[in-house]
Amino acid sequence: MQSPTPAPTTPFPTTPFPTTPFPTTPTPMSPSPTSPVGTPLGVAAKERQARRVVRKPVNKLADKPPRALFCLTLKNPIRKLCINIVEWKPFDWLILITICLNCVALGVYTPFPNGDSNATNMLLESIEYVFLVIFTAECFMKIIAYGLFMHQGAYLRSIWNILDFTIVIIGLLSTALSTIIQEGFDVKALRAFRVLRPLRLVSGVPSLQVVLNAIIKAMIPLFHIALLVMFVIVIYAIIGLELFSGKLHETCFNNETGEMMEDPHPCGANGFQCEDEMEGYVCRGYWKGPNYGITNFDNFGLAMLTVFQCVTNEGWTTVMYWVGLLFSCTTCHLSLPFI
């Protein structure tokens, strides 16, 4: 059997490979089209474009009622002007500065009896007209801009605006009456309402509104605590009625002249003895009582008032000594501080 004929073999070329040396200077590399974090630049740009907030022009007329005072539409130039003014930020600052200046004027004003006055008060009365004009103009411009009452978001739909409106109306009324009726009419009672103008700071500063609303909401739990305190006062007032009713009207009288002692205080058969302390004096009535007859337990009202005085720590030791003079027991002295 014959072996297979081997295939012809091609010899390798004898020509050597070209030996080109590698360059010694590095070739500058082109920047990679990726972001520093590895995100393609196109995707990063799209993300920035998506995150970019497009600020649209604010339409001041969008949330306003279509008509104000039944006749002024949103296209009315007067109403447009009022809206632009009342929603202009410097206008709010002007009103706040005016309120602060009005507070200073109210503090500087010095009332005199019998209608007297001085140069400072006359100047302040003249400046008062300027404040009244500014506040009145603000009130009417807001009514024109937002409407009076019928629409949602109208001027009188806010409690603070109701306060502002009331103050302005009282100011106009007092000024008109003082001008029309020169004699026989006293407008001091109406002018006293000017002290409410500092409260307009609350309507001008939203943060103050938040604080005041929080205080008002906290009044309900405080009211429950006040009811508990009142309940305790009622209990101790009833105890005082049972123990001390009609017993604080006896003091030491001179047995011959019938005159009362110089510094009267309560006495009793089981307490302070006039005969032992002062010669010729006896313990009897009738004396209106300590503290001009206010501090006693003769009825429920005065008993509550006496207990309330002890609760406030205002003169409670004096009440303790007065009641202690009725009795000689130590328990009475120790029990009254709890009242």
Side-chain angles (χ1 to χ4, degrees), residues 34-325:
T34 58
S35 63
V37 294
T39 307
L41 291 179
V43 177
K46 290 181 180 180
E47 290 180 356
R48 287 195 298 269
Q49 185 69 22
R51 288 195 299 265
R52 186 177 301 170
V53 178
V54 180
R55 296 184 178 179
K56 297 181 180 180
V58 179
N59 187 7
K60 296 182 178 180
L61 306 179
D63 56 344
K64 304 297 184 299
R67 288 183 180 272
L69 302 177
F70 301 101
C71 60
L72 299 176
T73 62
L74 292 174
K75 297 182 180 180
N76 189 283
I78 298 177
R79 190 180 179 194
K80 283 185 177 181
L81 178 63
C82 292
I83 292 174
N84 292 330
I85 291 176
V86 299
E87 294 187 353
W88 189 37
K89 195 62 178 179
F91 180 76
D92 295 336
W93 286 105
L94 173 64
I95 297 300
L96 291 177
I97 293 173
T98 306
I99 294 172
C100 294
L101 293 177
N102 191 14
C103 296
V104 174
L106 291 174
V108 174
Y109 185 85
T110 305
F112 290 94
N114 301 325
D116 294 336
S117 183
N118 57 5
T120 303
N121 288 354
M122 296 295 292
L123 178 61
L124 292 175
E125 289 293 340
S126 301
I127 298 176
E128 180 65 25
Y129 291 106
V130 178
F131 294 144
L132 184 61
V133 169
I134 294 176
F135 293 144
T136 305
E138 179 209 7
C139 177
F140 281 100
M141 283 193 297
K142 286 186 176 180
I143 291 175
I144 294 174
Y146 303 134
L148 184 61
F149 183 77
M150 300 297 295
H151 307 284
Q152 185 70 25
Y155 181 70
L156 292 182
R157 289 292 183 95
S158 173
I159 298 177
W160 307 111
N161 290 337
I162 293 175
L163 176 63
D164 297 346
F165 182 76
T166 304
I167 294 172
V168 169
I169 293 300
I170 292 175
L172 292 174
L173 184 61
S174 61
T175 303
L177 291 177
S178 61
T179 304
I180 297 173
I181 307 175
Q182 298 291 339
E183 296 180 358
F185 183 77
D186 189 8
V187 295
K188 289 184 178 179
L190 293 176
R191 289 181 178 178
F193 285 94
R194 291 186 298 184
V195 300
L196 297 176
R197 285 183 180 174
L199 292 177
R200 300 198 61 200
L201 284 173
V202 179
S203 62
V205 182
S207 58
L208 291 180
Q209 296 181 14
V210 174
V211 174
L212 191 58
N213 289 332
I215 294 175
I216 293 174
K217 290 181 180 179
M219 293 300 291
I220 298 177
L222 292 177
F223 180 71
H224 297 163
I225 297 175
L227 286 178
L228 178 60
V229 173
M230 183 64 64
F231 179 71
V232 174
I233 291 176
V234 168
I235 291 176
Y236 281 103
I238 294 173
I239 295 174
L241 279 172
E242 296 293 332
L243 296 178
F244 312 120
S245 178
K247 295 183 178 180
L248 292 174
H249 298 288
E250 293 183 350
T251 187
C252 298
F253 286 87
N254 193 305
N255 199 18
E256 296 180 358
T257 62
E259 293 180 355
M260 191 184 304
M261 62 186 301
E262 293 183 1
D263 188 13
H265 55 74
C267 62
N270 298 324
F272 183 82
Q273 300 292 330
C274 300
E275 297 84 355
D276 299 338
E277 301 293 336
M278 295 178 293
E279 186 179 356
Y281 282 82
V282 294
C283 181
R284 62 182 178 85
Y286 183 77
W287 173 46
K288 59 183 177 181
N291 198 13
Y292 303 98
I294 298 175
T295 303
N296 59 65
F297 294 90
D298 294 345
N299 55 63
F300 184 73
L302 292 176
M304 287 192 63
L305 183 61
T306 304
V307 174
F308 180 76
Q309 178 183 352
C310 298
V311 169
T312 58
N313 291 334
E314 184 65 30
W316 68 270
T317 53
T318 307
V319 178
M320 181 184 68
Y321 294 142
W322 283 336
V323 177
L325 291 173

